[in-house]
Amino acid sequence: MPLSRSFTPRLLLVAVLTYALACAQYAFADTAALLIENARIVSTTGVSEPRDVLIEAGTITEIGPGLRPSVAEKGVRIIDAEGRFLSPGLIDSHVHLMGVPGESDALPAEVRDQALAQIPKSYLYFGFTTVLDLISADEPMVQWNNQALAPTAFHCVGVPIPGGYPMAWLPQEEQLASPIADYYLYDENQPALMAATPGSEQHKPKALVERIASTGARCIKTFYETGFGRLRNLPVPSLESMKALIREAHKHHLPVFLHGNSRKSYEFALEAGVDLLVHGPWHGVSASDAEALEALAEKVVQAGIGVQPTMQVIVGERELFSPDFFARPEVKAAVPSALRQWYQSEAGQWFVQNMSHGFGGPDEPHLHDKVHAAMAKPIGGVQAFTRALAVANGDLVFGSDTPSGPVYTQFPGLNGHQEIQHWASQGVTPPQIFAALTVRNAELLGLAETLGSVAEGKRADLLLLTDNPLESVDAYDSIAWVIVKGVPVERSKLAAN
Ligand SMILES: [Zn+2]
C-alpha cells in the first residue's frame, strides 16, 4: 500500500483538523440562546409534564419549570412548544454518505449539485440528526460535518479480507490500491489468500485496530459474504482471525459489526462473538421456517448480539418496480424534483433495467408481479425474524442502510422513515423503536454522554413533535421543528419541494 503510506502525514493533519473543526463547530454553531417552553420531554420511561429547556451554544444547559423569568434579560429566542413533544434527534447507525443514490455519469452536474445540497436536509427532514457511515474514513467526515446544516456524521472503518466482499466489486488489479484496502485484515489462517498482499504487518489485528482507532472511528465493519449477483464463492475471514480482531477492537472500546445476511453468517457471528449483525438473515430462510427463525433469534439474544434487520434493503429494491413511487408525498419531500425526473428517464433507470434482466427483462409484461413473487421469500424471512427478536426483547439496533447500492428508492432520510414503518408493521413497539433510534444507538457509538436523550449537558439535537412517538411511529411524521446543534429549523424549510 505505498499509496496509503505516503498519505500518513496528511492523515495525521486531518485528525488534528477534525478535532479543531469539531470544536469550532460546537462553539460557534449558534451564539443566540434558545428557550423551548412547555415541552413534554420524551424518554424511554415516558413523557414528562410540560418543561422549559434552555439551550446555549448548542448544548442543553437547563431543564425546569418556569425558566422564562431567569432568561428574560439574555435576549434568548423563545419557542412555545404548547405542550408538544420534545424528543432527542434520531440516530441512524447505517448510512453511506458518498454521492447521490442511483447516479451515473449521465446525471447532469447541476442536478447532482442540487441533490448533494438537499441530502443532508432530507436526513434532518425525517428527524435524523446523527448518522453513522459504516465504511468511511476521517477526511470525508470532516467534509460532511463542515456543511452548514447537516446531521452530525461519524464513521466506521471497513475491514475486508483480500479478494473478499466488498473489495471484490472492483477489478482484481485495482483492489489492493483502492481505499477499502487500506484496512484489510491479514488473515494468518489463509496464507494462499494473503500471498499477494504487501505491507501485511500493519494489517495484523493489533496494528490494524490501532490504525483504525487513530482515525476516530466509532466501530469496525467486517463482512461474511460469499457473494450475490455476479459475485460468487468469495473468501470469508477465518474464525480465529475474526476473534483476534474482536479482541483487539474491544481493547479500544470499538464494537465490531458483521455484514451477514445468511444463516451461515449468523452462525459465524455467534461463534466469533461480534457485537452487531448488520442485516436480517434473508438468504436461505422464509417465513414458513418460523420455528427455526425463532430459535435463531433466541440464540442471538442469548449471545447479546445486536441486530440491524435493514428490511428496507429488499423492500427498497422491490419499490424500484412500483409505478406510484414518485407520486408519494414523502418521496417528493425527500427528492428534488429535477432528480425525480432524471430517475424516471431512460438514463436514470439504468439499475432498474439491470435488475429487470433477472425477471425476464424490461419488456416482461408481468415484471412487477414477478419481482414481488421473487422477493416475497426473503422479505417474509426477515420480517418473521424481526418479529421473533421483538417478542424476545432482543437488541434491535436502528440502521437503515442508506443506500444499500445504486437504489434510488433508498433515498437519504426517506429510507430511515421507511425502515421505521417496517419495524412497526412487524410488531416492534413504538417504545422499542424509540429506544433503538435514540439511546441504544448513542450507546453503540460510545456517545451516550452527549447524545440520545434530552438532558442537561447533552447536545441540543432535538425534535419537536405534535404527536407522541411512544404511542405511534406516525408521530415521526408530525415533526414541527428540528433543532440541529441548538439551531431551530422549521421542518417545512428542510423539504425538497
Ligand atoms: Zn451498508
Side-chain angles (χ1 to χ4, degrees):
M1 307 303 314
L3 188 71
S4 79
R5 265 203 294 276
S6 72
F7 274 89
T8 306
R10 200 169 129 233
L11 282 177
L12 267 177
L13 179 67
V14 166
V16 171
L17 276 177
T18 311
Y19 182 73
L21 285 168
C23 293
Q25 201 174 21
Y26 297 142
F28 303 115
D30 188 28
T31 43
L34 172 69
L35 183 70
I36 301 172
E37 280 190 322
N38 302 312
R40 305 181 68 193
I41 295 169
V42 186
S43 70
T44 50
T45 55
V47 169
S48 76
E49 291 299 306
R51 287 283 180 271
D52 299 347
V53 176
L54 180 63
I55 295 159
E56 294 168 292
T59 300
I60 299 170
T61 50
E62 202 176 347
I63 297 175
L67 292 188
R68 191 195 277 231
S70 66
V71 302
E73 306 288 289
K74 291 187 187 171
V76 170
R77 176 171 182 185
I78 294 171
I79 292 177
D80 188 350
E82 299 172 320
R84 281 184 282 193
F85 299 88
L86 190 66
S87 157
L90 311 182
I91 305 172
D92 187 337
S93 61
H94 190 159
V95 304
H96 303 282
L97 294 173
M98 292 291 285
V100 177
E103 67 179 313
S104 78
D105 291 344
L107 178 64
E110 66 274 16
V111 180
R112 185 172 196 269
D113 289 347
Q114 197 190 21
L116 291 175
Q118 175 59 35
I119 281 172
K121 293 183 198 159
S122 293
Y123 277 114
L124 295 171
Y125 179 87
F126 290 100
F128 296 99
T129 54
T130 303
V131 292
L132 179 68
D133 190 323
L134 283 203
I135 309 177
S136 195
D138 33 14
E139 195 175 289
M141 295 302 102
V142 173
Q143 283 172 11
W144 175 274
N145 289 325
N146 268 338
Q147 299 177 103
L149 186 59
T152 305
F154 297 92
H155 76 281
C156 290
V157 164
V159 174
I161 59 165
Y165 182 83
M167 226 191 239
W169 282 119
L170 298 167
Q172 197 156 14
E173 64 280 7
E174 288 174 26
Q175 290 181 7
L176 286 172
S178 78
I180 183 77
D182 286 352
Y183 300 98
Y184 74 77
L185 175 65
Y186 185 86
D187 192 333
E188 292 186 76
N189 301 298
Q190 305 193 73
L193 203 57
M194 301 298 134
T197 57
S200 59
E201 280 310 312
Q202 58 171 342
H203 293 272
K204 289 183 178 170
K206 187 170 185 295
L208 178 64
V209 171
E210 276 168 12
R211 288 198 297 129
I212 291 169
S214 75
T215 72
R218 313 307 307 188
C219 41
I220 291 177
K221 168 99 181 273
T222 60
F223 308 88
Y224 189 100
E225 176 62 64
T226 55
F228 53 88
R230 66 177 169 83
L231 302 178
R232 300 284 162 179
N233 303 317
L234 299 179
V236 292
S238 70
L239 187 59
E240 284 316 310
S241 290
M242 181 59 69
K243 283 183 174 172
L245 181 72
I246 294 169
R247 270 196 303 277
E248 293 301 328
H250 287 177
K251 285 182 195 166
H252 290 267
H253 306 289
L254 287 172
V256 176
F257 297 13
L258 183 77
H259 159 103
N261 49 39
S262 60
R263 183 180 291 275
K264 240 180 146 184
S265 61
Y266 265 61
E267 298 295 344
F268 181 82
L270 286 161
E271 279 192 74
V274 301
D275 299 292
L276 183 76
L277 266 157
V278 175
H279 305 307
W282 56 64
H283 281 304
V285 300
S286 71
S288 57
D289 299 331
E291 262 177 49
L293 284 168
E294 277 166 28
L296 186 61
E298 194 53 47
K299 275 193 202 170
V300 170
V301 174
Q302 291 298 322
I305 297 175
V307 179
Q308 287 180 342
T310 68
M311 280 179 253
Q312 179 62 8
V313 167
I314 316 176
V315 177
E317 288 187 5
R318 191 177 70 183
E319 283 179 326
L320 288 170
F321 298 87
S322 297
D324 72 330
F325 176 76
F326 289 103
R328 295 183 207 162
E330 67 271 26
V331 175
K332 291 182 177 171
V335 189
S337 122
L339 182 61
R340 268 186 276 134
Q341 280 173 26
W342 184 78
Y343 282 149
Q344 292 170 86
S345 72
E346 174 108 31
Q349 286 285 303
W350 70 272
F351 185 67
V352 183
Q353 301 270 327
N354 280 3
M355 273 192 73
S356 70
H357 290 299
F359 306 97
D363 299 325
E364 160 62 47
H366 304 292
L367 185 59
H368 178 268
D369 294 344
K370 281 194 164 182
V371 169
H372 270 251
M375 294 188 176
K377 193 176 158 186
I379 291 174
V382 66
Q383 286 175 335
F385 184 72
T386 305
R387 284 198 296 276
L389 270 185
V391 169
N393 210 16
D395 185 12
L396 280 155
V397 174
F398 189 86
S400 61
D401 199 359
T402 299
S404 68
V407 182
Y408 58 67
T409 49
Q410 297 165 350
F411 203 80
L414 172 70
N415 203 45
H417 172 268
Q418 301 288 90
E419 183 71 10
I420 291 172
Q421 298 289 333
H422 298 326
W423 283 33
S425 74
Q426 297 311 312
V428 189
T429 66
Q432 282 176 316
I433 294 173
F434 174 81
L437 282 161
T438 57
V439 277
R440 180 63 188 98
N441 264 341
E443 284 167 8
L444 185 75
L445 291 165
L447 293 166
E449 279 182 22
T450 50
L451 292 175
S453 65
V454 183
E456 287 175 7
K458 294 216 177 181
R459 195 165 72 201
D461 282 342
L462 305 164
L463 309 176
L464 196 55
L465 312 120
T466 304
D467 300 328
N468 181 356
L470 298 180
E471 284 175 2
S472 164
V473 293
D474 292 340
Y476 300 112
D477 288 324
S478 76
I479 298 169
W481 290 85
V482 182
I483 294 109
V484 190
K485 299 179 200 102
V487 181
V489 188
E490 280 176 89
R491 189 196 199 197
S492 56
K493 300 225 161 81
L494 296 162
N497 45 3

